Amino acid sequence: MDLKAFRREYKGGLHREDLADDPFVQFEHWMSEVLKLGIVDPTAMTVATVDANGQPSQRMVLLKQVDSDGLVFYTNYGSRKALELAGNPLISLHFPWHMVDRQVKICGRAGKVSAAESLKYFVSRPRDSQIAAIASQQSSRLSSRSVLMNQFESMKQKFQQGEIPVPDFWGGYRVVPSEFEFWQGSQSRLHDRFRYSINEGIWIIDRLAP
């Protein structure tokens, strides 16, 4: 498979004066723009963690909340990412907004949100999604898909009536950033990159070479 010729030209640009001083404000500005465009899965982000042997691992999850306290996603606390975060809370997030030639990378530390926050989000999910959270032992081995579906149907029957309880092995993480990078594609591979890094509570902005 010859992939060398697969490339395209970028036409965008990003200037320092266009950036907000606060990276959360800048992130919400870019997120608002992609939401208005109606692109597929605008809140999808890659989550990167590292295991005890230093092996990185990545997966896609959905961002569910962002504010000045951090960025929040939800998962099974028995999943690979959760077990790796228990050993090393350092984390990296990446938003690949290819349709607008933009990317955002965020580095920081992850910590569990409160049980009350997890409950509030859990009850907002569609009922089948609530059941799926209970039925799936995320990251565990499956002999077949039918095993998973049988477990899902069993849980569906069990919780046919009434509210579905939040499983104790499921909840959210809040990522508190120490670094943001905003990437905008530009001509001749001379892309624009700006890094926000925090120093004694002050965000410092640097332009990086592409």
Side-chain angles (χ1 to χ4, degrees):
M1 188 186 304
D2 187 359
L3 304 177
K4 295 189 296 295
F6 284 88
R7 63 174 60 86
R8 64 185 177 88
E9 188 61 74
Y10 299 92
K11 298 179 180 180
L14 184 62
H15 305 284
R16 171 62 184 87
E17 56 267 26
D18 297 328
L19 296 172
D21 293 333
D22 186 325
F24 287 100
V25 173
Q26 183 63 37
F27 177 80
E28 290 190 15
H29 174 63
W30 273 21
M31 176 63 81
S32 294
E33 291 189 347
V34 296
L35 289 174
K36 290 175 183 176
L37 290 173
I39 67 174
V40 176
D41 290 333
T43 62
M45 60 183 184
T46 302
V47 170
T49 56
V50 179
D51 70 12
N53 297 316
Q55 174 61 56
S57 180
Q58 299 175 320
R59 70 288 286 164
M60 299 295 289
V61 304
L62 298 180
L63 175 67
K64 291 301 177 183
Q65 180 182 334
V66 58
D67 54 35
S68 59
D69 292 327
L71 300 93
V72 178
F73 67 92
Y74 292 85
T75 190
N76 186 305
Y77 286 147
S79 65
R80 176 173 176 172
K81 60 179 134 353
L83 296 177
E84 290 177 351
L85 287 172
N88 182 352
L90 297 181
I91 191 170
S92 181
L93 311 176
H94 178 254
F95 293 84
W97 295 325
H98 302 302
M99 286 186 64
V100 290
D101 297 339
R102 288 177 175 175
Q103 303 176 50
V104 180
K105 183 185 75 173
I106 299 170
C107 296
R109 299 176 70 89
K112 291 180 179 179
V113 304
S114 68
E117 288 177 274
S118 292
L119 172 61
K120 183 178 179 180
Y121 173 67
F122 186 81
V123 298
S124 75
R125 287 162 58 103
R127 192 173 181 84
D128 279 0
S129 293
Q130 294 179 18
I131 294 171
I134 300 173
S136 175
Q137 296 179 346
Q138 197 174 105
S139 299
S140 63
R141 290 184 178 182
L142 282 173
S143 58
S144 68
R145 181 173 176 80
S146 62
V147 172
L148 176 63
M149 295 309 298
N150 288 340
Q151 180 68 3
F152 176 77
E153 291 300 328
S154 175
M155 292 297 102
K156 202 168 184 178
Q157 290 296 318
K158 179 178 180 179
F159 298 111
Q160 193 170 16
Q161 303 293 331
E163 295 183 355
I164 301 171
V166 183
D168 56 9
F169 54 79
W170 186 95
Y173 284 96
R174 176 173 288 101
V175 177
V176 179
S178 57
E179 179 184 310
F180 286 76
E181 183 181 321
F182 294 86
W183 183 100
Q184 173 71 65
S186 193
Q187 293 180 343
S188 304
R189 294 299 189 268
L190 298 176
H191 310 306
D192 292 302
R193 297 173 58 194
F194 288 94
R195 179 183 63 201
Y196 292 71
S197 53
I198 196 161
N199 182 18
E200 297 183 353
I202 304 298
W203 287 102
I204 309 300
I205 305 176
D206 293 301
R207 177 185 277 274
L208 305 180

